[in-house]
Amino acid sequence: MSKTIEFWFDFVSPYAYIASQSIEVLAAKYGRTVEWKPILLGQVFKSTGSGPLTMRPPMMTNYYKNDFLRSARYAGVPFVLPEVFPIGTQNTARVCLWLQETAPERVGDFVRGVMRAYFSGPAAINDLAWLSNFVGSLGLDGTQVADACSDVDRKERLKQACEAAVTQGVFGAPWIVVDGESFWGNDRLPQVEKWLATGGF
Amino acid sequence: MSKTIEFWFDFVSPYAYIASQSIEVLAAKYGRTVEWKPILLGQVFKSTGSGPLTMRPPMMTNYYKNDFLRSARYAGVPFVLPEVFPIGTQNTARVCLWLQETAPERVGDFVRGVMRAYFSGPAAINDLAWLSNFVGSLGLDGTQVADACSDVDRKERLKQACEAAVTQGVFGAPWIVVDGESFWGNDRLPQVEKWLATGGF
């Protein structure tokens, strides 16, 4: 079984979206697989008093909105900032956890696809109807989505994942961990690659 | 006369230090020169309520301290976080402005050298004695440093530079402007290069 790299993210994070589109290819290049770790940034931000990049002072928000677009073009992925942004993603994350239990080999397709749908929008990625339809489009059983989201144990596991993130020092997304070394941000992918290639530098 | 790229920075910024060591080589590769724009981040931060990266909650500060070191290793430059950090750099910035008037061809040597000294420290880069000695080591007249720093017009110009930064939307360092396009952070150098190479993307 190959070693993994951890990819902590919220489905609503623009930079996590950009990184999500290439992280599996990068991992595979060095014999790794990706361990997707969905969390809710709203929960995680409480530990540092942080908040969404688009709710900062106007001069910062203006910069970020341009940087999202430019960083996406640089990475060669489509990007449209959703009209409704940010949104809660608790259902999206719970469906992700459910797929990790029931169809682990399809989690990457789910994550990449959901984020690309949201950031090429519009797509109501946290709505049960949308999720059911999208899961169905992957050839999986979309009729189970509502039950998967209302399951008390799974709700608890998502809560625990957010707490585990904070305990581990995660305070933003994407947060990539390679052999215990933490890298924050899509812009750290070159360093992630060097770390994978050299075993640490 | 070649076109410039603007490099807004505070002498105390770790990521500006890392970028400062290679930005002229990058600029020259595309027929550009660097227009060094020293500012005081303490002034600029007032516009967004921001502050030094090492004065954030501990989990963030711990991450940044490791990322400074790793980003420096990635760039191949030495890095030791100074024991006294951050510091005011108003004298350092004023000497930089003075050299732009009196020895413009040496400003790059001054900036690169001062920042490397501070981040390989210890070096009291804002002290008049240190500055005088360092300017002398460049073969320039270090005895004029004290007068250069106390000059009222130059103090005013530094203040105006900080105000111009905010007016232009600068809220961090390094802040690199290529043909009107703003790039924030040492980690945006790959995008800066693509912009220079392609004329915008």
Side-chain angles (χ1 to χ4, degrees), chain A residues 153-164:
Chain A
D153 286 349
R154 193 164 296 108
K155 287 184 178 180
E156 180 61 24
R157 275 207 296 290
L158 178 57
K159 188 167 163 247
Q160 288 172 353
C162 296
E163 291 167 356

Side-chain angles (χ1 to χ4, degrees), chain A residues 59-60 63-64 66-67 70-71 73-74 166 169-171 181-184 187-188 190-191 194 201, chain B residues 59-60 63-64 66-67 70-71 73-74 166 169-171 175 181-184 187-188 190-191 201:
Chain A
M59 66 195 293
M60 300 184 82
Y63 177 81
Y64 282 120
N66 184 58
D67 192 62
R70 190 178 63 212
S71 295
R73 291 195 302 272
Y74 184 76
V166 172
V170 176
F171 57 81
E181 182 79 3
S182 288
F183 301 84
W184 175 36
D187 45 38
R188 287 295 177 277
Q191 292 192 21
K194 184 168 181 178
F201 62 88
Chain B
M59 65 193 296
M60 299 183 82
Y63 176 81
Y64 283 121
N66 184 59
D67 192 62
R70 189 178 63 211
S71 295
R73 291 196 302 274
Y74 185 76
V166 172
V170 176
F171 57 81
W175 192 279
E181 181 79 2
S182 289
F183 300 83
W184 176 35
D187 46 36
R188 288 296 178 277
Q191 292 192 22
F201 62 87

Side-chain angles (χ1 to χ4, degrees), chain A residues 89-108:
Chain A
T89 54
Q90 66 277 18
N91 287 326
T92 331
R94 286 172 195 150
V95 171
C96 187
L97 294 181
W98 169 66
L99 289 175
Q100 287 178 327
E101 301 155 28
T102 57
E105 75 286 357
R106 304 303 303 281
V107 173

Side-chain angles (χ1 to χ4, degrees), chain A residues 110-123:
Chain A
F110 176 78
V111 173
R112 273 183 280 103
V114 168
M115 297 185 89
R116 193 159 181 134
Y118 183 58
F119 288 105
S120 310

Side-chain angles (χ1 to χ4, degrees), chain A:
Chain A
M1 189 174 161
S2 75
K3 288 165 74 180
T4 63
I5 65 177
E6 298 171 19
F7 187 91
W8 299 77
F9 70 105
D10 187 318
F11 283 90
V12 81
S13 162
Y15 295 120
Y17 154 59
I18 296 171
S20 75
Q21 304 299 298
S22 64
I23 190 68
E24 290 169 301
V25 173
L26 178 61
K29 186 174 171 184
Y30 297 97
R32 306 283 187 117
T33 53
V34 173
E35 186 177 353
W36 301 100
K37 310 275 260 182
I39 51 173
L40 304 176
L41 281 178
Q43 296 298 311
V44 170
F45 282 164
K46 288 178 186 169
S47 67
T48 56
S50 190
L53 298 175
T54 54
M55 297 171 76
R56 308 264 165 113
M59 66 195 293
M60 300 184 82
T61 294
N62 290 341
Y63 177 81
Y64 282 120
K65 286 183 176 177
N66 184 58
D67 192 62
F68 295 159
L69 288 162
R70 190 178 63 212
S71 295
R73 291 195 302 272
Y74 184 76
V77 301
F79 189 95
V80 178
L81 187 65
E83 281 192 33
V84 186
F85 178 91
I87 58 169
T89 54
Q90 66 277 18
N91 287 326
T92 331
R94 286 172 195 150
V95 171
C96 187
L97 294 181
W98 169 66
L99 289 175
Q100 287 178 327
E101 301 155 28
T102 57
E105 75 286 357
R106 304 303 303 281
V107 173
D109 293 338
F110 176 78
V111 173
R112 273 183 280 103
V114 168
M115 297 185 89
R116 193 159 181 134
Y118 183 58
F119 288 105
S120 310
I125 62 166
N126 197 49
D127 288 6
L128 296 180
W130 189 92
L131 283 164
S132 178
N133 185 60
F134 187 79
V135 167
S137 78
L138 295 176
L140 301 168
D141 187 359
T143 66
Q144 293 191 52
V145 157
D147 285 348
C149 288
S150 61
D151 181 81
V152 175
D153 286 349
R154 193 164 296 108
K155 287 184 178 180
E156 180 61 24
R157 275 207 296 290
L158 178 57
K159 188 167 163 247
Q160 288 172 353
C162 296
E163 291 167 356
V166 172
T167 300
Q168 189 173 321
V170 176
F171 57 81
W175 192 279
I176 299 163
V177 184
V178 180
D179 302 336
E181 182 79 3
S182 288
F183 301 84
W184 175 36
N186 172 61
D187 45 38
R188 287 295 177 277
L189 286 181
Q191 292 192 21
V192 168
E193 172 147 24
K194 184 168 181 178
W195 200 275
L196 287 166
T198 61
F201 62 88

Side-chain angles (χ1 to χ4, degrees), chain B residues 118-176:
Chain B
Y118 182 59
F119 288 105
S120 312
I125 61 166
N126 197 49
D127 287 7
L128 295 180
W130 189 91
L131 283 164
S132 178
N133 184 60
F134 187 79
V135 166
S137 77
L138 295 176
L140 302 167
D141 186 359
T143 66
Q144 293 192 53
V145 158
D147 286 348
C149 289
S150 61
D151 181 81
V152 175
D153 287 347
R154 194 163 296 108
K155 288 183 177 181
E156 180 61 23
R157 277 208 295 288
L158 178 56
K159 187 167 164 248
Q160 289 173 349
C162 297
E163 292 167 354
V166 172
T167 301
Q168 191 173 320
V170 176
F171 57 81
W175 192 279
I176 300 163

